[in-house]
């Protein structure tokens, strides 16, 4: 007997999918803004729009708190970097500081942006994964159709992880790319391995044609 087709998604399921989709977009935009130290207006505008779309999905209280925490982390990072840059330029104007001194301080800010990108990338990855797995905790988690839906969502998320990493890395100063922390790069490698495993699993769980 052929497996039955997965049941139609409920309104709640569709809401969870939409929320996760926009949260993944917010992840990429956040990485882009943090990587660029908030100095590219089009990136900042993209992030503001993504946040509004996430909020329009009316997430639950726990989701609201988690996202608010990640946003506060992001905004705090940007404020510190902006303040550091302003001090560098003000000091240079006031004292005529040597270019070498200013460059060294700018390099330190670039290094901070790299660390910030890695941290926010990992924080949003955890948020996105929880937003996928949480609804399934209340479903019949062992049902094949539920497992298949979950794995599709997790697979989609692995591609989002790649996009978010690229968005942040490409926004960083070129000379700072080599300073991306190993734990952020290794997370990308693990993500690629998981992507392959999910593809194989989905092929196994999918109903025969």
């Amino acid at each position: 007997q052929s497996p039955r087709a997965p049941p139609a998604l409920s309104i709640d399921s569709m809401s969870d999918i939409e929320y996760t989709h926009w949260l993944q977009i917010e992840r990429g935009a956040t990485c882009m803004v943090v990587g660029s130290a908030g100095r590219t207006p089009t990136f900042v505008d993209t992030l503001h729009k993504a946040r509004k779309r996430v909020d329009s999905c009316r997430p639950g209280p726990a989701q609201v708190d988690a996202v608010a925490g990640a946003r506060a982390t992001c905004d705090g990072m940007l404020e510190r970097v902006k303040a550091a840059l302003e001090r560098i330029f003000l000091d240079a104007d006031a004292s005529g500081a040597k270019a070498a001194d200013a460059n060294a301080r700018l390099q330190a800010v670039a290094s901070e942006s790299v660390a910030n990108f890695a941290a926010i990338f990992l924080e949003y990855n955890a948020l996105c994964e929880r937003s996928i797995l949480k609804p399934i905790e209340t479903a019949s988690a062992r049902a094949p159709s539920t497992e298949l839906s979950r794995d599709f969502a997790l697979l989609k998320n692995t591609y989002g992880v790649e996009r978010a990493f690229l968005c942040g890395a490409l926004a960083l100063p070129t000379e700072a790319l080599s300073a991306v922390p190993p734990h952020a790069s290794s997370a990308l490698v693990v993500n690629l391995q998981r992507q392959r495993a999910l593809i194989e699993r989905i092929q196994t769980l999918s109903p025969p044609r």
Side-chain angles (χ1 to χ4, degrees), residues 46-91:
T46 298
L47 176 56
H48 287 162
K49 290 178 179 176
R51 286 182 174 184
K52 287 181 180 178
R53 292 303 298 262
V54 169
D55 294 342
S56 72
C57 295
R58 299 181 180 179
Q63 293 169 319
V64 169
D65 289 344
V67 172
R71 290 175 179 177
T73 299
C74 166
D75 295 345
M77 290 172 172
L78 294 173
E79 288 173 7
R80 289 191 295 274
V81 168
K82 181 181 179 181
L85 289 172
E86 288 177 350
R87 285 195 300 271
I88 292 170
F89 296 126
L90 285 173
D91 291 348

Side-chain angles (χ1 to χ4, degrees), residues 12-13 16-17 20 63 129-140 146:
D12 287 343
S13 297
D16 290 331
I17 290 170
T20 301
Q63 293 169 319
E129 179 143 341
R130 284 202 299 272
S131 75
I132 293 168
L133 297 178
K134 181 62 178 175
I136 293 169
E137 292 175 4
T138 60
S140 51
T146 303

Side-chain angles (χ1 to χ4, degrees), residues 84-154:
L85 289 172
E86 288 177 350
R87 285 195 300 271
I88 292 170
F89 296 126
L90 285 173
D91 291 348
D93 290 340
S95 62
K98 294 180 180 179
D101 293 336
N103 286 338
R105 292 173 67 185
L106 286 172
Q107 184 59 45
V109 172
S111 297
E112 183 176 355
S113 291
V114 173
N116 288 344
F117 154 61
I120 208 69
F121 168 68
L122 295 174
E123 184 168 353
Y124 265 89
N125 285 348
L127 272 181
C128 289
E129 179 143 341
R130 284 202 299 272
S131 75
I132 293 168
L133 297 178
K134 181 62 178 175
I136 293 169
E137 292 175 4
T138 60
S140 51
R142 302 311 302 170
S145 60
T146 303
E147 291 187 24
L148 186 57
S149 297
R150 176 203 61 199
D151 289 344
F152 266 120
L154 290 172

Side-chain angles (χ1 to χ4, degrees), residues 20-42:
T20 301
H21 171 72
W22 285 108
L23 184 61
Q24 289 166 336
I25 291 176
E26 180 177 329
R27 170 179 55 192
T30 300
C31 289
M32 198 161 53
V33 170
V34 170
S36 64
R39 290 184 290 174
T40 306
T42 53

Side-chain angles (χ1 to χ4, degrees), residues 190-207:
V190 170
N191 181 71
L192 290 170
Q193 294 171 341
R194 189 181 193 192
Q195 190 178 96
R196 296 190 190 100
L198 283 166
I199 290 171
E200 292 177 2
R201 180 174 167 80
I202 288 168
Q203 290 172 339
T204 300
L205 290 174
S206 295

